[in-house]
Amino acid sequence: MQIGRRRLLQGIGTSLACVPFLRALPSQAGGGDFPKRLLFFASPNDSTDRPLWLPDGDGLEFDLPASLPEILQPLEDFRDNLLIIGNMVMDTRDKETGPGGHVGMGHQLTGVANITWPNQQFESEFWAGGISIDQFVANELGVDALTLAARPYGNNGGCRISYRGANDPVHPYEDPVAAFNAVFGDPDLSTDELLAQYQHQVKSLDRVALELDRLRPRLPSVDHDKVDAHLEHLLALQHDLQSFTPASCDPTAPEGGYDYNSSSDYPITARRHMDILAQAVACGVTRVGSIQNGNTGNAESYAGTTNWPSEGIAFDRSQHVVAHDFEAEPDVAEYVERRKTLERFYISQYAYLLDRLRAIPEGDGTVLDNTLVVWTKGMGRGHRKDRLLYLVAGGSGFPVQFGRYLDRTNVPHNDLLVTLANLMGIEIDSFGDPEICTGAVPL
Amino acid sequence: MRVEVITSSCAALLLGCYSGVHTGPDGASEGPGAASAGADGGDGGDGDDGDGSAQAQCEDGTLQVGATPLRRLTRREYNATVRDLLGDTTAPADAFIPDEQRGGFTSNESAVGALQVDQYRLAAKDLAATAAASFDTTITCDRADDACATDFITDFGARAYRRPLDAEEVGAYLAMYQQTRAESGADTGLELVVQTMLMSPHFLYHVQVGEEGSQRLTGHEVASRLSYFLWGTMPDAALFAAAADGTLDDREGIEVQARRLLAEPRAGEMLDAFTAQWLALGDPAEIVRDPETFPGWDPALFSAMRVETETFVREVVLHGDGRLATLLTAEFSYLDPDLAAHYGVEPGDDELGRTDLPPERAGLLTQGAVLVSHAYPTETSWVHRGKLVRERLLCGTMPPPPADVDFSEGNDPDRLHRPECAGCHTLMDPIGKGFDRYDAVGRFQTDDHDGQPIPAGGEVVGSDIGTFDSIPQLAAALADDDVVRACMAQQLGRFALGRVLDDEDPCSRDAILETFRASDFDLRELMVAIVVSDAFRHKAGE
């Protein structure tokens, strides 16, 4: 089977729903059950404050109103696919070492407090303390989670959400082209060329594995884990190369014209990643994935500004400072405007991912009907552990009544992780720290 | 030697904020005394039993060496290594995920991840393909011939692995070559050899397993430690030769090689990297200033500032007196004309733009690269400039800000009065405030835009330094402070080995500091003291 040659996506701003995104998906042909998928969308800082995201309505649970709060307006077109869950709590933050601030982001998907290194000297130099829900679900389903990030800006616990286990981060693809090639194969090579290349590399990896094996006993025992991890990844890679079969769909390679390292191209990088994520799940390459935007608090350094020409956003301060300005002085109109603009931008990016999924037909509906897309952050307003905002989008493939607001005050976020696993068909009643988790939260 | 913990007077009061360097507070010379290689030439005979009393730096002759973590090459090291190994200047490691940082310095000591293993595969594939394209000029024998291939495997392998291959390795690579030759041709076979070696742990990691049955590192392992510390890349031919002929088995031989390496231009590349990490200098692509606040700001100025600092450190350390005091207090710098105009000084006219500075400027702390990196886009930063001095020069430890912290004021005097903030901010803000006459784009001014005088002066709380009236005065006090000197030794030691030489290496730590002191705090002597120390030449005992 032939991998399609490079085809460029339409430019930004084109109505993507009109573009035939993928063709001849096998899943489109059949009816009945479609594979269920689970995707996470992480963004930096907090979710602003409750008045900015709480929709109008009476009681603790209600149908979403026709008009959503300003920062959520990019989601109005997805109202029937959306759950807004308010006021959950992240008790994993209580257990973290050191004072609050940005204490890593690993706990949001692991439900476990992060680990501090001995002699930790600088902020965020630590990893999460357990497996994250995306990796857990992927393991249970027998697929590889696709982990993507736009400018995570570093390599520490403040920049990683996905973990295979304690102290074992999954590093995200930062370059959309590299991600695409990993998922679908280099579109510049024919399938025969790719297979020949992989065949040689399998031999290389055999030799490297042997050398790791020979080196291991000569190293101090404290280093053996590193050799074991290297061997494990090497053998997994070898298996992937050996068993590579071209995707059964005709994927569209990411358009160029941006620099994934550039701060000002950051929104475009994130959208390129989401294009790949949507294709990967639609194509059946995986069923679990994540797109991480920036990192825990500041996609940029404190010495930087926020300047995204593609979005018409230009602030004289970093995203982190924008968030703190609002947190400290929520009455200053200028601070509120900036904060709302920033958060509305992230909501619009989340909506972009929903849009990509909805643009791909599946049975009588779209891929979005069978995909849960979860909006997640590492903290409530102003580093607090409570007043979290969660968004869960999906559709008729799940036994969930979308189009609702649900107040879940002080329900630990671990419980939502349990529910997500359950919705993916995995029967667990606890996830993460068992002292925190109280079981699935009803949606 | 007396060793004491400097406990700042407030540290005990302060939640999690402390100053953490151990130092001998005076110049007492009753130390182990073995720090200077020159004074210790007698240990050349320790080759038979490497860990005996003849070479150990502890007075009682024991060897006390902590464990250096197994580390992978950093991106900088990888790029420089393939440049020197293959002549490839494409910097393929720029596509790797960022390096980890420990204490501000890059050090990849976590277990490798799946993505990195794949990135190593892709880089090796491209590098090998490029290398194969020029086999016609780089391999002069008949590449279809076993003897030619064996020579290539032996020679290239010894440089890629930074040590001679053993018989099993040569045999295995020859077999790989032969098998591939039969299927796809000789060049494909050699290309696969190159590709495989570039994925080997012996290429990707700093492998230091030591001599058989001893804690002592092999000559080749010492050679690699030397070249990656002092050059940031693989050993050159002379260093390989020194490793092979036993020259690196004693301190004298190591010292000779270290001084040779320090005299080569590549030592300048190392200093650039060290300085940028030590002083947390910003990346020119990331530094942005607000055009409304600073209408004259041109991002190219920050690049010129980075060049200023790099040139200054290179000139002082490689060609000047090498002294820490000079780095901190020099009344000269190296400015291009645009930067000189920005500072408001007359540029010097020599090739490097050596310029005598006005009295408000002194050494590294008043250089634009430092001032701009540690400021906000619109204003100065008491916190970040104070934190720089506290962490990077005094080796203090500042915890992250607490929850509910109020960042809205960049410079907020209230932080010193609110009990929940004051603990830590007392250690930073009074230092950083003293920098206020240097604005966020690195210019010096005595009055603010309203014509009001900007306060000068500040205080290093919990330190012998105390109050200061100006940054040049602060710089002079820092240059004369034992905590700063010990911190400098700690920082370079960390840069060299990826770990702090402290309680696990008491004798190396003390000997290094003694030599540094005896040299009047010359960084070159400090670097030599590090490479001849027990900690540098040995692995930890199990």
Side-chain angles (χ1 to χ4, degrees):
Chain A
M1 197 165 293
Q2 191 78 14
I3 295 178
R5 306 297 293 184
R6 190 183 294 270
R7 287 199 295 126
L8 298 185
L9 281 179
Q10 301 293 315
I12 308 161
T14 308
S15 171
L16 291 156
C18 303
V19 179
F21 194 68
L22 296 167
R23 7 176 240 218
L25 285 179
S27 59
Q28 283 174 248
D33 281 355
F34 295 99
K36 302 293 178 280
R37 301 98 173 184
L38 176 61
L39 302 178
F40 292 91
F41 179 104
S43 58
N45 296 307
D46 60 5
S47 295
T48 71
D49 198 10
R50 193 160 39 193
L52 294 188
W53 53 252
L54 185 66
D56 285 335
D58 292 326
L60 297 177
E61 300 188 3
F62 50 81
D63 290 341
L64 292 179
S67 175
L68 293 177
E70 192 179 336
I71 63 168
L72 297 184
Q73 278 169 6
L75 290 170
E76 283 185 350
D77 191 32
F78 295 93
R79 191 188 296 100
D80 295 342
N81 295 88
L82 188 66
L83 274 185
I84 300 178
I85 306 168
N87 300 324
M88 294 185 82
V89 64
M90 237 167 212
D91 281 330
T92 44
R93 290 184 64 85
D94 266 0
K95 295 197 167 189
E96 290 182 0
T97 50
H102 295 265
V103 285
M105 60 195 302
H107 65 130
Q108 63 183 289
L109 294 190
T110 62
V112 186
N114 291 336
I115 290 173
T116 302
W117 294 342
N119 305 318
Q120 179 187 330
Q121 194 177 355
F122 291 86
E123 187 175 359
S124 296
E125 291 183 339
F126 45 83
W127 307 118
I131 188 170
S132 55
I133 191 70
D134 55 327
Q135 296 295 327
F136 174 80
V137 169
N139 289 347
E140 292 291 313
L141 299 178
V143 298
D144 289 327
L146 180 57
T147 309
L148 307 173
R151 276 180 67 87
Y153 202 81
N155 183 349
N156 59 57
C159 315
R160 298 289 182 267
I161 54 170
S162 187
Y163 289 80
R164 300 197 315 154
N167 264 333
D168 192 359
V170 175
H171 301 295
Y173 285 96
E174 299 183 26
D175 176 3
V177 172
F180 182 89
N181 292 353
V183 172
F184 296 110
D186 183 342
D188 292 334
L189 298 180
S190 73
T191 300
D192 286 347
E193 287 169 319
L194 266 181
L195 290 175
Q197 193 183 90
Y198 289 171
Q199 225 168 19
H200 282 305
Q201 289 170 0
V202 164
K203 280 193 280 184
S204 276
L205 296 175
D206 263 340
R207 175 63 202 170
V208 175
L210 187 70
E211 294 191 3
L212 281 163
D213 220 33
R214 289 179 75 216
L215 175 62
R216 190 179 189 277
R218 300 170 65 204
L219 293 168
S221 51
V222 67
D223 291 328
H224 289 181
D225 284 353
K226 297 180 192 177
V227 176
D228 294 342
H230 199 145
L231 259 174
E232 185 191 340
H233 293 309
L234 204 69
L235 296 176
L237 172 61
Q238 194 179 35
H239 176 265
D240 286 351
L241 297 180
Q242 266 168 334
S243 60
F244 176 81
T245 47
S248 57
C249 51
D250 186 11
T252 304
E255 185 187 9
Y258 66 100
D259 172 5
Y260 74 93
N261 279 313
S262 151
S263 165
S264 48
D265 289 348
Y266 161 70
I268 301 171
T269 304
R271 287 195 288 266
R272 293 291 174 273
H273 276 312
M274 291 188 281
D275 295 339
I276 294 164
L277 201 53
Q279 296 190 80
V281 296
C283 196
V285 176
T286 186
R287 293 171 57 190
V288 183
S290 58
I291 167 67
Q292 176 188 331
N293 296 271
N295 56 40
T296 172
N298 47 332
E300 318 303 321
S301 74
Y302 64 84
T305 59
T306 307
N307 186 17
W308 300 327
S310 60
E311 320 304 305
I313 291 178
F315 302 142
D316 62 358
R317 55 203 71 200
S318 73
Q319 296 179 64
H320 196 200
V321 175
V322 168
H324 274 284
D325 283 352
F326 170 74
E327 162 61 15
E329 299 190 51
D331 300 327
V332 178
E334 187 189 6
Y335 294 172
V336 177
E337 260 333 286
R338 271 201 291 261
R339 187 70 189 91
K340 277 159 63 172
T341 302
L342 187 58
E343 207 57 18
R344 188 184 158 108
F345 158 73
Y346 280 112
I347 291 288
S348 73
Q349 294 283 86
Y350 175 74
Y352 178 89
L353 178 56
L354 304 188
D355 193 49
R356 300 324 304 257
L357 295 164
R358 196 172 60 177
I360 308 170
E362 189 165 64
D364 295 335
T366 73
V367 170
L368 179 59
D369 290 331
N370 299 300
T371 307
L372 295 171
V373 188
V374 183
W375 166 276
T376 173
K377 298 218 183 214
M379 68 192 79
R381 182 192 164 182
H383 305 124
R384 292 165 61 134
K385 67 173 186 175
D386 61 347
R387 293 202 216 170
L388 298 169
L389 168 67
Y390 275 102
L391 304 173
V392 178
S396 57
F398 299 95
V400 172
Q401 190 189 347
F402 290 97
R404 304 267 293 164
Y405 173 79
L406 306 176
D407 181 287
R408 292 290 180 265
T409 296
N410 291 340
V411 174
H413 85 289
N414 294 53
D415 295 6
L416 179 61
L417 303 181
V418 171
T419 303
L420 294 171
N422 293 166
L423 288 171
M424 291 298 291
I426 300 161
E427 290 310 315
I428 54 171
D429 50 23
S430 184
F431 192 78
D433 189 335
E435 290 181 9
I436 292 176
C437 192
T438 67
V441 56
L443 297 185
Chain B
M1 177 174 190
R2 276 176 291 150
V3 176
E4 67 176 32
V5 182
I6 298 295
T7 312
S8 67
S9 58
C10 57
L13 308 173
L14 304 174
L15 253 182
C17 298
Y18 65 94
S19 210
V21 166
H22 296 232
T23 181
D26 58 36
S29 58
E30 80 275 15
S36 161
D40 189 36
D43 81 335
D46 65 352
D48 46 357
D49 146 13
D51 311 329
S53 61
Q55 62 151 359
Q57 288 179 315
C58 289
E59 271 181 296
D60 62 2
T62 59
L63 191 62
Q64 293 194 44
V65 174
T68 294
L70 180 65
R71 296 178 294 159
R72 282 169 286 113
L73 301 183
T74 63
R75 299 200 294 190
R76 174 178 70 95
E77 290 171 339
Y78 187 104
N79 285 337
T81 302
V82 300
R83 176 198 65 195
D84 297 339
L85 179 65
L86 295 162
D88 191 296
T89 55
T90 59
D94 289 357
F96 296 172
I97 65 167
D99 295 319
E100 294 162 47
Q101 293 200 351
R102 303 285 156 110
F105 293 100
T106 55
S107 180
N108 292 326
E109 62 182 77
S110 285
V112 72
L115 178 57
Q116 289 155 311
V117 171
D118 201 36
Q119 289 176 333
Y120 293 147
R121 170 183 70 94
L122 293 167
K125 169 183 69 89
D126 290 344
L127 287 164
T130 306
S134 49
F135 279 160
D136 276 343
T137 49
T138 54
I139 305 177
T140 48
C141 48
D142 176 4
R143 301 196 290 278
D145 178 52
D146 278 354
C148 178
T150 304
D151 282 351
F152 176 79
I153 288 165
T154 307
D155 295 346
F156 180 78
R159 297 200 311 124
Y161 286 19
R162 305 182 282 274
R163 55 152 177 87
L165 303 193
D166 65 26
E168 187 278 340
E169 289 164 336
V170 175
Y173 279 112
L174 184 62
M176 175 187 283
Y177 156 80
Q178 288 167 332
Q179 192 202 349
T180 313
R181 182 181 61 188
E183 295 162 1
S184 324
D187 280 2
T188 305
L190 291 174
E191 181 180 338
L192 192 63
V193 167
V194 172
Q195 180 178 311
T196 307
M197 287 182 175
L198 294 176
M199 284 191 281
S200 165
H202 300 285
F203 173 77
L204 293 172
Y205 289 84
H206 295 290
V207 174
Q208 281 130 14
V209 296
E211 304 268 14
E212 194 70 35
S214 160
Q215 283 178 252
R216 230 176 56 156
L217 299 188
T218 67
H220 282 90
E221 289 167 349
V222 171
S224 279
R225 273 201 176 170
L226 274 174
S227 67
Y228 280 100
F229 171 31
L230 298 176
W231 278 359
T233 187
M234 59 182 281
D236 67 351
L239 200 50
F240 276 132
D245 70 14
T247 302
L248 300 179
D249 290 346
D250 62 54
R251 290 201 175 101
E252 257 179 341
I254 294 174
E255 175 173 350
V256 168
Q257 285 297 322
R259 293 194 189 281
R260 180 181 71 83
L261 265 54
L262 283 171
E264 297 277 342
R266 274 178 192 171
E269 294 175 19
M270 172 274 289
L271 286 173
D272 294 350
F274 171 76
T275 307
Q277 294 177 39
W278 171 42
L279 298 175
L281 301 183
D283 176 344
E286 306 288 343
I287 292 286
V288 188
R289 291 297 97 135
D290 177 38
E292 282 181 31
T293 317
F294 302 106
W297 173 253
D298 175 354
L301 278 172
F302 186 73
S303 296
M305 290 168 172
R306 286 289 302 258
V307 171
E308 174 198 3
T309 295
E310 288 170 1
T311 309
F312 172 75
V313 174
R314 285 176 182 227
E315 287 303 302
V316 170
V317 175
L318 301 181
H319 309 298
D321 66 14
R323 295 182 58 223
L324 173 60
T326 304
L327 288 179
L328 291 172
T329 65
E331 295 169 351
F332 58 87
S333 191
Y334 299 86
L335 309 177
D336 80 7
D338 290 341
L339 186 54
H342 182 69
Y343 288 168
V345 300
E346 199 60 42
D349 54 8
D350 76 347
E351 199 185 334
L352 295 172
R354 181 178 161 124
T355 303
D356 291 327
L357 297 174
E360 68 267 17
R361 301 229 179 223
L364 286 167
L365 291 179
T366 58
Q367 291 182 3
V370 173
L371 295 165
V372 173
S373 295
H374 302 280
Y376 294 110
T378 52
E379 61 177 336
T380 66
S381 171
W382 298 345
V383 172
H384 291 289
R385 288 171 174 183
K387 189 169 182 273
L388 173 80
V389 171
R390 185 64 68 176
E391 287 187 335
R392 305 303 170 102
L393 294 180
L394 292 160
C395 286
T397 301
M398 305 304 302
D404 308 328
V405 63
D406 175 359
F407 273 95
S408 64
E409 288 292 318
N411 296 325
D412 180 2
D414 284 350
R415 288 194 193 114
L416 294 177
H417 305 299
R418 288 203 298 271
E420 70 274 21
C421 310
C424 291
H425 281 279
T426 302
L427 296 177
M428 300 183 287
D429 299 21
I431 304 174
K433 198 168 186 305
F435 283 86
D436 264 358
R437 291 189 166 193
Y438 306 85
D439 69 11
V441 292
R443 294 173 305 196
F444 179 80
Q445 53 209 0
T446 54
D447 297 333
D448 65 18
H449 44 73
D450 298 325
Q452 297 300 310
I454 302 170
E459 183 178 5
V460 186
V461 172
S463 153
D464 291 344
I465 293 168
T467 59
F468 56 89
D469 295 333
S470 69
I471 296 304
Q473 202 186 83
L474 169 67
L478 289 166
D480 200 36
D481 188 84
D482 275 330
V483 176
V484 176
R485 291 157 170 170
C487 181
M488 191 72 223
Q490 178 174 311
Q491 301 285 27
L492 263 168
R494 181 164 212 154
F495 184 71
L497 287 171
R499 65 192 182 89
V500 172
L501 298 181
D502 204 340
D503 293 342
E504 287 186 303
D505 308 79
C507 308
S508 295
R509 178 195 67 204
D510 294 349
I512 289 166
L513 196 53
E514 268 320 294
T515 304
F516 191 31
R517 180 181 304 283
S519 71
D520 209 8
F521 305 102
D522 182 334
L523 264 66
R524 293 166 299 207
E525 300 308 314
L526 172 58
M527 288 187 273
V528 170
I530 289 169
V531 302
V532 301
S533 71
D534 283 353
F536 195 85
R537 303 162 58 224
H538 297 82
K539 63 172 182 174
E542 277 266 23

